[in-house]
Amino acid sequence: MAADTYDVVVRAARAVVDGREQPVTLGIRDGRIASLDAAQPWDLVLADDEVLLPGLVDTHVHVNEPGRTEWEGFDSATRAAAAGGVTTVVDMPLNSIPPTTTLAGLRVKQQAAREQVHVDVGFWGGAVPGNVADLAPLHGAGVFGFKCFLLPSGVEEFPELDAAGLHAAMTELARHDALLVVHAEDEGELGASPHGVAYAGFLASRPARAEQVAIDRVVGTAAATGGRAHVVHLSGADALPAIRAARAAGVRLTVETCPHYLSFVAEEIGDGHTEFKCCPPIRDAANRELLWQALADGDVDLVVSDHSPCTPELKRLDSGDFGDAWGGIASLQLGLPAVWSEARRRGHDLVDVVRWMCEAPADLVGLRRKGRLAVGHDADLCVLAPDASFTVDASTLHHRNPVTAYAGRTLTGTVRQTWLRGVPVDLDGAPRGRLLERGEA
């Protein structure tokens, strides 16, 4: 095929393709990858220290717009995503007002996003008490699945499901083969959230057993209904034996963890440092290594950010009170270097990182043209300098508020370019992202 049949040709001596690192000459036509061995001339040649990756897919992002746009919004969130090599985001249904628990709520969210997104964006629906009748219409409108909580979510407009509500929601979703994603902590296993600056007190109030008990409930409900379940932000490795057993028994269960659980450890979190507060919490160093081993073994399927920002005031940085502070870590722009920094120390390569952060998230939600450098896929690209290091300055991030647990941390792996559907993303230019629906070809 003649070179002039491509809109652009990108040459990379190193690229992650089909489970290995290899050279590619990427021919792009109409926003998609048309060839992995295109003829010259080359329009772009990556530098010797750069590796071509697929654009990352982050299926766990709280954008918060509309309603709490002062926490984060579609413009700032998707700029941050693009700066971090993320080309597809799936937005969580809560923290915005209204939440995405009805078709009307979805339409409000889509309208708010439509002219602002710098990367492609899809949406989760929500499963809350009393909205079983809303699940089918939301599914039909193209949400990628449904999020629920098994304990209070922290916002009154998104209440938790009890055991009967979980069973009812999963029964309805099984009829449509729709995915239910679950914040799995059991309220009955929690201690009172203590006020004060001691991280140890906060950690003790949310023990790993709370995750174990809730995951057991999810497993039992999925087994009884035949539904598909996904556990979000696993922090406690004690739940891994139950997860393995459920899968061996044929339960349709997938699991994610997050960069902060793979990067930080409780022993290193100083008192009053509420920027590290998240739920479930960051646990000890031995637990972190068990999570890494679970990723290596395939017991944990994917790594996504759980980007959950808020205003500095809500983080209670002035008082350092873990009882009052909002729980959530802002990390959308930093997920790739955070994971790569820790992965390479443990002998993992970029093929592993692509599997965890590109391929598996795309597969989870059925994005058939995302997450891989493959013919027919969208030409969503991340140009990474894997050996280049930088120190995180929160004030330079594109997140709306300059608060992150990674501030001052030196990370390895610099994103130098991000391409969306065959065109470099210009963070100062007009947004070119699209709103996605489940099942798009």
Side-chain angles (χ1 to χ4, degrees):
M1 184 174 289
D4 63 3
T5 62
Y6 303 112
D7 299 324
V8 64
V9 176
V10 178
R11 173 65 181 176
R14 298 174 62 193
V16 176
V17 179
D18 197 22
R20 62 193 179 98
E21 196 175 293
Q22 65 180 62
V24 295
T25 307
L26 213 65
I28 299 169
R29 186 187 307 116
D30 297 329
R32 297 190 191 177
I33 298 170
S35 175
L36 299 175
D37 189 21
Q40 296 183 18
W42 304 331
D43 299 290
L44 173 69
V45 181
L46 268 60
D48 290 343
D49 67 337
E50 295 174 339
V51 181
L52 187 64
L53 310 180
L56 275 67
V57 177
D58 193 336
T59 55
H60 195 150
V61 177
H62 294 271
V63 176
N64 305 333
E65 185 176 5
R68 292 187 174 94
T69 310
E70 70 274 14
W71 295 17
E72 188 71 279
F74 283 103
D75 176 70
S76 53
T78 57
R79 286 177 191 270
V86 178
T87 52
T88 305
V89 161
V90 186
D91 173 57
M92 282 291 169
L94 72 155
N95 299 344
S96 58
I97 303 173
T100 315
T101 54
T102 65
L103 186 57
L106 173 64
R107 297 307 183 211
V108 170
K109 179 76 71 78
Q110 290 172 325
Q111 182 61 32
R114 197 172 306 279
E115 303 300 325
Q116 297 196 73
V117 294
H118 295 268
V119 300
D120 289 351
V121 175
F123 302 94
W124 294 103
V128 296
N131 86 325
V132 169
D134 295 295
L135 303 181
L138 282 164
H139 179 76
V143 299
F144 285 88
F146 295 84
K147 170 74 174 288
C148 74
F149 279 71
L150 302 187
L151 79 175
S153 70
V155 292
E156 63 182 2
E157 65 276 0
F158 202 97
E160 73 275 18
L161 296 178
D162 61 15
L166 177 66
H167 191 278
M170 199 174 291
T171 298
E172 173 64 8
L173 295 179
R175 293 178 53 240
H176 305 280
D177 199 33
L179 181 65
L180 185 66
V181 305
V182 186
H183 181 127
E185 288 183 283
D186 184 272
E187 187 177 16
E189 298 295 331
L190 301 186
S193 184
H195 288 279
V197 300
Y199 182 75
F202 167 67
L203 177 60
S205 75
R206 300 187 87 103
R209 178 162 173 75
E211 288 188 272
Q212 290 178 266
V213 171
I215 288 170
D216 286 344
R217 190 186 317 159
V218 172
V219 166
T221 307
T225 62
R228 296 170 58 208
H230 177 76
V231 173
V232 296
H233 51 48
L234 180 72
S235 83
D238 289 351
L240 289 167
I243 289 167
R244 294 187 197 104
R247 288 172 151 178
V251 176
R252 304 168 75 193
L253 181 69
T254 49
V255 182
E256 70 184 46
T257 193
C258 303
H260 41 278
Y261 301 127
L262 299 170
S263 299
F264 304 122
V265 294
E267 296 93 327
E268 297 174 358
I269 298 176
D271 288 349
H273 282 271
T274 53
E275 65 271 27
F276 290 93
K277 180 180 177 180
C278 57
C279 301
I282 295 162
R283 305 192 189 278
D284 62 28
N287 181 85
R288 178 182 63 178
E289 297 315 307
L290 290 171
L291 290 178
W292 274 107
Q293 188 60 51
L295 271 172
D297 294 342
D299 294 321
V300 172
D301 302 278
L302 55 137
V303 183
V304 286
S305 69
D306 189 13
H307 177 67
S308 186
C310 65
T311 61
E313 294 76 17
L314 288 173
K315 267 298 184 185
R316 301 295 189 259
L317 299 173
D318 52 351
S319 68
D321 190 325
F322 279 95
D324 284 341
W326 176 260
I329 290 182
S331 62
L332 181 54
Q333 186 171 334
L334 300 170
L336 175 57
V339 172
W340 173 234
S341 296
E342 296 295 324
R344 69 187 310 191
R345 292 190 185 113
R346 294 165 174 81
H348 295 291
D349 57 22
L350 286 169
V351 172
D352 295 324
V353 174
V354 164
R355 184 173 66 255
W356 300 327
M357 304 188 78
C358 305
E359 296 171 0
D363 292 345
L364 175 74
V365 296
L367 286 166
R368 298 189 296 272
R369 293 207 309 262
K370 302 291 189 182
R372 290 172 171 82
L373 300 180
V375 172
H377 278 53
D378 289 348
D380 296 348
L381 313 176
C382 170
V383 178
L384 179 73
D387 299 319
S389 297
F390 66 100
T391 300
V392 177
D393 178 352
S395 69
T396 67
L397 300 177
H398 292 273
H399 309 151
R400 183 167 298 255
N401 294 292
V403 178
T404 179
Y406 293 92
R409 193 175 181 92
T410 298
L411 301 177
T412 303
T414 299
V415 175
R416 291 187 176 160
Q417 290 188 59
T418 301
W419 290 43
L420 181 67
R421 283 177 272 102
V423 178
V425 177
D426 180 0
L427 296 179
D428 297 318
R432 294 190 303 103
R434 296 176 180 170
L435 303 188
L436 304 175
E437 295 182 3
R438 187 200 72 262
E440 289 181 314

